[in-house]
Amino acid sequence: MRTRTPFTCTVVLVAASLLGAAGCAGNAPSNDAATAPRTVRPVAGCGAGGWTDPSDLAPDRKPARCDKGAPAPQPLAKKRKITVATGTLSAEYVAPLQVAVAKGEFVKEGLDVSLKVLPTPDALPLLAKGDVDAQWAAPEAAVMNGINGGFAIKWVAGNFSPDPTSKSGLWVRLKDGESADHVDMAGRKLGTMIGKGSVIAYPMDTSLKKHGGGLDRISFQQLGSADVLTALQNGGVDSAWLLDPIWRKVDGDKKYAFLGGQPVGEPLGGLLFGPNLLNKDPDAGVAFLRAYIRTVNTYFAGAYKSDPAFVAELAGLMKTDEATLRSTPSMRMDWEIRKGTTDRLQKAYADSGVSTGDPVPEDKAVDRAMYGEAVGHKP
């Protein structure tokens, strides 16, 4: 008899919750607002650089950028309230949303945006039912399973890719005779805040397979964010997925080795829209993306941590100390979604046994048209 891991159970429970929501809300029907052809006009300040070829996966790819302050606001005729669920407000990759709220970028579009902290498993059913409008998360296994169940949820914008010098990712405590170039990961225990159903499964699986492992050849121990590093250091786990800036605590220590992280140039998360912004009010959805993209272009276009005043402002919003924030390089904030990312994610979910049903085609899970409209890109 096969025993389910806690991570498999989590994904199954979330998927069941999503499917249960269908009985209350039903599949969101397409209406005239959603199906009518949308006019895409050129946008001042967003020329050729405002869009990159989705098939370009080069690590040195420059993310799309418009001029500072672009795309300019286009206020909605009627003010719209939008609730965005996010798992945390203390992570740097959430900072563009916090800055957009603090700087009034959403208000300029006629949007009253509130950020609500909710764990992903709790937020997904609310997104599917329309009780929240958007989610700052990722196309995790539970999301893909929910889409397979008929929900109008799509990944509509990316968030970031790591700086090439970042070592956020898979770290291992070396055994005698091992080195970073020669580590046998099969049979190891990995400590992580996230399970096999997370988007991190994709880069994690890639790194493990380079060292004789794979998601099906290691065991997982789910830990709180404050406990992952401690467990690695005291021997509670053999390896761990360490985020910015936690990896700084072991970097340079010969007892540990960095095996790999998120692919450079490929965002793995960002904004998910539910039926409210996809079907009922796509004008508000485009306005939200316009404000988000303008925030990236104005405040996060390059090495934003080189500005001490802005770092201090970010530290205040994230409720962290400035030294911690400065200890890692600036992230590459990136609103675009690469071609094939959801296919690669689903391959990892299948390898780890947490996906249900057939793979979701990319066009059913991803919508690039809304951010394309925001920057004036015609397909």
Side-chain angles (χ1 to χ4, degrees):
M1 179 177 178
R2 183 180 177 185
T3 301
R4 285 180 174 172
T5 66
F7 304 108
T8 302
C9 292
T10 298
V11 173
V12 170
L13 287 171
V14 172
S17 181
L18 283 169
L19 293 173
C24 301
N27 292 346
S30 296
N31 55 26
D32 291 341
T35 58
R38 297 185 63 83
T39 301
V40 179
R41 299 182 176 87
V43 171
C46 293
W51 177 274
T52 68
D53 181 356
S55 65
D56 184 358
L57 299 174
D60 60 351
R61 175 186 66 88
K62 293 183 178 180
R65 290 289 183 261
C66 301
D67 293 344
K68 183 177 180 179
Q74 297 179 34
L76 299 172
K78 184 178 180 181
K79 191 174 182 178
R80 174 80 154 79
K81 289 188 176 182
I82 291 180
T83 300
V84 183
T86 176
T88 180
L89 288 174
S90 61
E92 190 174 338
Y93 60 84
V94 190
L97 291 189
Q98 294 174 279
V99 170
V101 171
K103 299 290 187 181
E105 297 297 345
F106 290 123
V107 172
K108 295 174 186 176
E109 299 286 351
L111 301 175
D112 179 4
V113 173
S114 60
L115 305 179
K116 187 173 184 178
V117 177
L118 284 172
T120 295
D122 296 339
L124 280 175
L126 300 178
L127 180 67
K129 290 188 294 182
D131 291 343
V132 298
D133 303 288
Q135 187 170 353
W136 191 251
E140 298 178 345
V143 174
M144 307 308 285
N145 291 341
I147 294 172
N148 247 339
F151 285 100
I153 297 175
K154 285 193 173 184
W155 185 20
V156 298
N159 50 9
F160 78 97
S161 61
D163 184 275
T165 63
S166 174
K167 294 182 182 178
S168 172
L170 182 60
W171 285 80
V172 62
R173 193 175 65 257
L174 297 173
K175 296 179 180 179
D176 290 343
E178 289 185 331
S179 66
D181 297 326
H182 182 72
V183 178
D184 184 7
M185 288 299 296
R188 303 258 180 148
K189 181 186 290 186
L190 189 144
T192 176
M193 295 182 295
I194 45 187
K196 297 179 181 180
S198 165
V199 293
I200 300 302
Y202 154 42
M204 189 183 295
D205 198 29
T206 300
S207 297
L208 287 169
K209 286 178 177 176
K210 291 178 180 178
H211 297 278
L215 293 173
D216 58 341
R217 302 190 67 188
I218 63 169
S219 61
F220 283 79
Q221 183 170 338
Q222 192 167 11
L223 299 165
S225 59
D227 302 322
V228 175
L229 177 63
T230 300
L232 179 64
Q233 291 175 321
N234 67 20
V237 296
D238 307 298
S239 56
W241 190 270
L242 302 180
L243 302 175
D244 287 335
I246 304 302
W247 59 267
R248 289 287 193 184
K249 301 290 186 179
V250 294
D251 189 32
D253 188 328
K254 294 182 179 179
K255 296 193 299 288
Y256 305 95
F258 173 62
L259 301 185
Q262 178 178 329
V264 177
E266 184 177 12
L268 299 182
L271 273 169
L272 305 176
F273 279 177
N276 292 348
L277 299 180
L278 286 175
N279 297 329
K280 296 178 182 179
D281 195 354
D283 286 345
V286 173
F288 187 100
L289 289 173
R290 193 163 46 239
Y292 164 51
I293 292 170
R294 182 170 59 253
T295 301
V296 172
N297 290 320
T298 304
Y299 302 100
F300 297 92
Y304 53 90
K305 292 186 182 179
S306 63
D307 181 348
F310 187 58
V311 170
E313 187 174 357
L314 282 184
L317 289 172
M318 294 168 55
K319 294 181 171 55
T320 189
D321 63 277
E322 295 179 41
T324 299
L325 197 55
R326 285 195 302 267
S327 69
T328 55
S330 299
M331 291 178 171
R332 290 180 172 179
M333 300 303 182
D334 189 351
W335 65 80
E336 292 192 309
I337 300 169
R338 299 293 88 195
K339 183 178 180 180
T341 296
T342 53
D343 296 332
R344 290 183 285 277
L345 290 171
Q346 290 181 95
K347 173 64 167 58
Y349 302 153
D351 288 348
S352 59
V354 294
S355 58
T356 60
D358 295 329
V360 178
E362 184 181 81
D363 62 357
K364 193 176 178 181
V366 174
D367 185 338
R368 298 183 183 87
M370 298 185 88
Y371 71 69
E373 180 180 338
V375 299
H377 174 78
K378 294 184 179 182

